[in-house]
Amino acid sequence: MTTIRKAVFPVAGLGTRFLPATKAVAKEMLTIVDKPLIQYAAEEAEKAGIDTLIFVLGRTKNSIIDHFDKAYELESELALRNKTELLKIVKDTVPEGVNCVFIRQSEALGLGHAVLCAEAVVGNEPFVVILPDDLIDSEGDNCTQQMMDVYDEYGCSVIGTQTINISESNHYGMVAGPIIRDGLSRVDEIIEKPLPAEAPSDQAIVGRYILTPAIFEVLKTTERGAGGEIQLTDGIAELRKREEVYAYSFVGKRYDCGSKIGYLKATVEYALKHNDLADEFRQYLRQVSV
Ligand code: G1P
């Protein structure tokens, strides 16, 4: 049995790529069909057995706190009207036995800093980090579960990766190292957003990490890196000098919902899988397809 119970969701980014939609609404509250991105991320964690969701929030992210709060008026109204299915949907936002903790990241100093903000709540335990912008659809076990299985076997930090076109390396943390087994390698090199000529391989980090608590000590002394921010990637570069870190090429399809095109692709594909919508939407797409 895995001992990982806590997941950290860094949700401090400004979401400038979606302005004006994200002027007053957190980008993690943008919906794919009928659920906000942050809820997909929370459900992935819950399905993998996480019982403590830790949100590290920037200003203007209060809608995330509201989303995971109990909605008394709505619930009593739905109960009065006997809308049992809707009531269940509302209540299931945070299932029984799951706790939410909200931490303010008062300065937007980067992903590494956001993770460090969770130290007091995570304590001396391994934990998961999920970036909700990266929506991952897996047929079998979800990405977090797959990575937990790797952690259970090897007991070291695990980073989720996928193969990308190397021309896009400047958008990702990039890793390289010797292969341990199919889909799993050791991280010997790791660098944040290198130019293609400097990328160590075509293996890019996606927004899933399992980290040992040793990362916190490292992040305390990590200096500002790419984009002037305290980068988690730089922290992991230091961590791997102290203990092994593995890169795991997960099974599943990742949508970059931090970009408009990735967001649109996810919307279309999730709608095509949606119980109530799939048939009508498929028909509609046939009509409009060019
Ligand atoms: C972050 C990480 C980067 C990773 C990416 C995955 O970058 O810093 O290493 O490859 O997420 O989505 P961001 O997209 O927040 O700039």
Side-chain angles (χ1 to χ4, degrees):
M1 266 297 277
T2 180
T3 50
I4 302 179
R5 299 182 303 113
K6 295 174 179 168
V8 175
F9 303 87
V11 283
L14 292 176
T16 47
R17 282 192 274 178
F18 281 93
L19 281 170
T22 48
K23 191 176 166 201
V25 174
K27 65 173 171 159
E28 297 81 6
M29 287 302 292
L30 297 178
T31 53
I32 301 293
V33 187
D34 52 11
K35 242 189 263 179
L37 281 168
I38 190 69
Q39 195 178 329
Y40 286 97
E43 286 177 4
E44 180 179 323
E46 288 153 10
K47 281 201 186 108
I50 296 290
D51 62 17
T52 306
L53 312 178
I54 305 165
F55 301 90
V56 181
L57 309 139
R59 289 187 337 103
T60 77
K61 302 281 180 165
N62 289 347
S63 50
I64 293 177
I65 304 179
D66 292 342
H67 184 74
F68 289 103
D69 199 359
K70 193 170 168 65
Y72 285 104
E73 302 88 340
L74 181 59
E75 288 182 21
S76 50
E77 196 63 38
L78 292 172
L80 265 177
R81 295 195 209 162
N82 276 328
K83 303 267 185 198
T84 22
E85 265 178 50
L86 289 178
L87 185 60
K88 184 171 171 358
I89 290 175
V90 171
K91 282 190 164 171
D92 281 354
T93 316
V94 184
E96 202 105 338
V98 173
N99 290 308
C100 296
V101 181
F102 301 97
I103 298 173
R104 260 288 164 84
Q105 184 187 17
S106 41
E107 284 178 285
L109 295 181
L111 182 57
H113 179 256
V115 170
L116 183 55
C117 288
E119 182 186 16
V121 181
V122 172
N124 195 28
E125 297 176 21
F127 62 104
V128 179
V129 176
I130 297 182
L131 308 187
D133 281 4
D134 282 328
L135 179 62
I136 301 177
D137 189 23
S138 312
E139 295 277 313
D141 285 346
N142 70 41
C143 183
T144 297
Q145 181 65 62
Q146 293 171 38
M147 289 172 61
M148 281 191 179
D149 292 346
V150 175
Y151 177 84
D152 278 348
E153 197 173 342
Y154 297 94
C156 62
S157 295
V158 186
I159 306 174
T161 57
Q162 68 171 14
T163 306
I164 58 145
N165 187 323
I166 205 150
S167 65
E168 294 174 3
S169 66
N170 58 330
H171 298 294
Y172 296 93
M174 302 296 295
V175 299
I179 291 171
I180 307 284
R181 63 162 163 81
D182 196 25
L184 190 68
S185 51
R186 196 178 70 205
V187 175
D188 280 9
E189 289 177 76
I190 174 165
I191 172 167
E192 181 70 4
K193 304 198 171 101
L195 293 172
E198 279 139 32
S201 77
D202 59 0
Q203 295 304 300
I205 301 173
V206 294
R208 299 292 183 278
Y209 309 78
I210 290 182
L211 297 168
T212 64
I215 191 70
F216 294 127
E217 281 320 305
V218 168
L219 285 172
K220 282 173 195 161
T221 53
T222 301
E223 302 200 340
R224 289 173 190 249
E229 298 190 337
I230 298 172
Q231 296 290 351
L232 182 58
T233 301
D234 295 343
I236 296 171
E238 189 53 40
L239 182 68
R240 64 150 288 278
K241 293 180 193 162
R242 305 180 184 196
E243 51 183 56
E244 291 204 332
V245 176
Y246 286 177
Y248 172 68
S249 175
F250 60 88
V251 181
K253 184 163 181 182
R254 172 240 182 191
Y255 300 90
D256 174 11
C257 293
S259 77
K260 284 177 195 161
I261 191 71
Y263 180 80
L264 287 172
K265 286 178 186 174
T267 302
V268 170
E269 294 195 39
Y270 275 65
L272 285 171
K273 286 188 177 188
H274 193 282
N275 283 345
D276 306 337
L277 294 172
D279 292 342
E280 197 179 341
F281 190 54
R282 184 168 291 106
Q283 259 181 4
Y284 172 73
L285 284 184
R286 286 206 184 101
Q287 280 169 30
V288 295
S289 61
V290 280

